[in-house]
Structures are given as C-alpha cells and as structure tokens.
Amino acid sequence: MSGTSAGKTNAGNFFEDFTVGQVIEHATPRTITEGDRALYQALYPTRFALPSSAEFARSVGLAQHPVEELIGFHVAFGKTVPDVSLNAVANLGYAECRFHQPVAPGDTLRTSSEVIGLKQNSNGKTGVVYVRSTATNQRGEVAIDWCRWVMVHKRDTDAPTPETVVPDLKDALDAQDLKIPAGLDFTAYDQAAAGEQHRLGDYEVGEKIDHVDGVTLTDPEHMLATRLWQNTAKVHFNAEARPDGNRLIYGGHVISMARALSFNGLANAQLIAAINAGAHTSPAFAGDTVYAWSEVLDKAETAAPGVGAMRLRLVATKGRDESMTLRGEDGKYADGVLLDLDYWVLVPA
C-alpha cells in the first residue's frame, strides 16, 4: 500500500532477536479493578471464600481484599507476550513462581523480563527462549516473579545458531521460600463460610482427589479472558495463525479453570503461594471439556498463626479420567492430560 510504513508496527521478536542477559521493560502498566474480580468469577467456576468475601479476608487478618492470585499472574504474564511470545509456537512451562504479596484492586502492575537461556531446536526453524519475569506494583515492590520457557519461530532460518544456555531452575521451592501475606492468621478460620472442614492434617501425602466437575471450553470465553489480560498472542485469536485453523486456548485459561474446579475437595486452599513447575502437555481447543484432579505432594507448617502449606499437583484433563493417571507405562503423559501444575497453597492448619 502506498504511503504505509512497516517500521512503525510491532511484528514481535523472533528467536534470533533474543540474547542471554537482555532485559526487556514491557509496555502498558495495568491497574487491577473490581471489574477484574467480577469477570474472573464469571469466566471460571471459582468459589474460594477469601477472594470472594471482603469480610472473610478481614477475618483472617488481611487489611485489603485481594483478588485471586491468578488474576495478578495473568495480567503480569500478558505484559510479556508482545515482546517474548508474540511469535511463539507454544508456551512450554513455568518454574520458580512466587506470589510475594496479595494483589488488590487499585494496585498497578508492570512487568520486566530478563532472558536467562536460549536453545535452538534441531529443525533450525524454532528455538526455546527462557525468561525470568518480575511484576512490581505502584510502590516498586515485587508482587510476582516467575520463570518460563517458550518455543519461538525464527524469522530467518539461516540466522546463526546462538550458544546453547539452559538455566538451572529449581524443581520445587521449599516451604521456607514461601512468602506469607502480612497479618495472615487462620486461628479463627470460619469453616462454614469456607464451605469445607478439611484442614492440613486431614490430607495425606500421596492422596489423590477427584474434583468431579467439568466445564466445556468455548471460543468466546477463552478469547474474552485472554483479551482481559491483554495477551496478544496470535494463536489465541487468529484462525489463520495455525495450519489447522483452530484458535489455541491460552494455557493460563486452563490453569484458572482447573484451579476453580479444585474447589470441590480443596475449598480451604485459600491462597496460592507459589508455582513450582508447570507444563501444558497438550493443546486445548473450544469444545474440549476440562476436568481436574489433584495429588498431595507435601505438607509443611508455616510461621503464620494457624496457617499450613500444602504442595499439590493439579492435573487438568480433556474428558474425565476416574483412574487419575498422569503418565503411561512409557513415562509419557497419558492421553488427555492438558496440564501438570505443581504448586503450593496456604490452608488452615
């Protein structure tokens, strides 16, 4: 077209545009509102008492009524997409994610990322980019930080292959690494309001919990959710971005759906303290029905009064798997597994 200038638009970064040690300041700070809370509750079947009730939050010692941790995570994550994963094939995994403090309406998050690793794939057409991202609030305090790795297209397949650098990331954070919100106190915890009586001591390491309920994914809902987080990845919106013509559902949408479904059996898992690791093991598309189950991996006491920590594996599946099988005999993820998320939650002790 006559008079146009491609130099003023953003085509996103390709694999060869990244260098280890590069720091990217992501655009568009985002203020969290009560509208985010309401729309999140409309999108996902979440019923956890603490983010649902300001009175419940006050009763457990929190000065402000926080939103769900995953709202902050999705917003902070969305900031990174135009610079890190606009040209991604897929987001591959997460590690070392800590929620340093609750995010409440009125907080403004902005995000920066450091490139901590690069590995070109053998096909020469794509590579894996590892970043450590940090979201800070309006006071300059760290709200959330995490690592993730994403497979990104190369712009030029003849571009030089960078030196392979794969960061050494923790398999899991220790319980003492968790940040407990200031003032949190579960000694007067209202089990009736929470909807469940099971406390830390009622769960056993190795126990599996079938969350029973399922939700069928739709294109309008997942695209609305992804736009809410200002996530601009093409594969979620543009039917021409994938050879099969399907819009890939944002992995975070599946995480939030599975977390919400986990209420049935884990209603007292009020706060997410950390995400140790996460893998989107298969793509999800509109029409898939998501179910979830959890496995208790570890338990620990914390210094906060009445507050325990429980490490869980949250598994989302396409179709219900009553056998709750994560991997087959060959060691590969079982058919239908969409998400394998290892995370810490705070529960009444």
Side-chain angles (χ1 to χ4, degrees):
M1 291 188 298
S2 176
T4 61
S5 174
K8 288 187 170 63
T9 58
N10 176 27
N13 290 315
F14 291 84
F15 179 69
E16 60 265 40
D17 297 323
F18 295 97
T19 57
V20 173
Q22 176 184 5
V23 176
I24 304 169
E25 297 289 341
H26 304 295
T28 319
R30 170 81 147 72
T31 301
I32 306 301
T33 70
E34 285 293 350
D36 292 302
R37 190 196 311 273
L39 192 47
Y40 190 92
Q41 291 175 335
L43 289 164
Y44 308 108
T46 183
R47 292 180 286 156
F48 294 100
L50 198 154
S52 296
S53 165
E55 181 57 34
F56 190 95
R58 283 192 291 271
S59 76
V60 296
L62 298 186
Q64 291 183 292
H65 183 204
V67 296
E68 301 241 7
E69 291 81 9
L70 291 175
I71 290 179
F73 178 77
H74 293 324
V75 167
F77 181 98
K79 303 297 96 186
T80 72
V81 170
D83 301 309
V84 175
S85 51
L86 192 64
N87 296 303
V89 180
N91 189 62
L92 300 177
Y94 312 92
E96 298 183 6
C97 173
R98 287 195 297 177
F99 297 88
H100 289 252
Q101 55 189 300
V103 173
D107 285 343
T108 298
L109 299 181
R110 63 186 305 161
T111 310
S112 64
S113 296
E114 179 184 359
V115 180
I116 58 173
L118 293 170
K119 183 179 185 296
Q120 182 166 304
N121 291 328
S122 58
N123 63 13
K125 299 178 181 179
T126 58
V128 179
V129 180
Y130 298 81
V131 297
R132 185 182 298 277
S133 299
T134 303
T136 55
N137 62 23
Q138 68 275 16
R139 296 179 294 276
E141 302 161 339
V142 175
I144 311 165
D145 62 355
W146 72 97
C147 296
R148 71 160 170 145
W149 48 105
V150 58
M151 188 185 302
V152 179
H153 287 290
K154 291 187 73 175
R155 178 191 295 107
D156 178 7
T157 56
D158 294 326
T161 302
E163 178 185 357
T164 296
V165 176
V166 177
D168 183 17
L169 301 174
K170 290 184 178 181
D171 292 333
L173 294 166
D174 295 325
Q176 56 263 35
D177 294 330
L178 305 180
K179 300 291 187 179
I180 310 300
L184 189 67
D185 183 343
F186 281 167
T187 54
Y189 189 87
D190 187 342
Q191 294 182 175
E196 193 172 88
Q197 62 181 358
H198 307 305
R199 293 173 174 261
L200 183 68
D202 297 315
Y203 294 92
E204 299 294 333
V205 173
E207 178 182 357
K208 290 184 177 181
I209 304 157
D210 183 353
H211 301 303
V212 180
D213 307 305
V215 173
T216 301
L217 303 174
T218 70
D219 267 335
E221 287 176 322
H222 88 80
M223 288 193 292
L224 177 65
T226 309
R227 287 196 182 101
L228 178 65
W229 319 128
Q230 297 178 326
N231 181 329
T232 57
K234 303 169 187 177
V235 291
H236 304 316
F237 306 106
N238 187 343
E240 297 179 353
R242 288 174 50 92
D244 61 9
N246 290 319
R247 287 175 285 261
L248 179 69
I249 288 178
Y250 164 48
H253 189 68
V254 177
I255 292 175
S256 280
M257 191 64 73
R259 162 69 173 162
L261 291 171
S262 75
F263 176 89
N264 190 349
L266 286 167
N268 286 330
Q270 292 290 349
L271 293 163
I272 299 175
I275 297 174
N276 297 307
H280 299 292
T281 57
S282 295
F285 302 100
D288 292 343
T289 299
V290 175
Y291 292 83
W293 56 269
S294 294
E295 180 183 3
V296 180
L297 301 178
D298 199 2
K299 302 192 300 181
E301 301 290 339
T302 78
V307 179
M310 190 156 59
R311 182 181 166 197
L312 301 169
R313 164 171 279 125
L314 176 61
V315 179
T317 60
K318 182 172 67 173
R320 188 175 175 199
D321 176 17
E322 295 184 16
S323 67
M324 292 182 281
T325 302
L326 182 66
R327 296 180 185 272
E329 294 181 0
D330 58 2
K332 296 180 180 179
Y333 282 104
D335 290 343
V337 173
L338 298 172
L339 169 73
D340 179 9
L341 190 74
D342 177 337
Y343 70 129
W344 283 100
V345 294
L346 301 180
V347 301

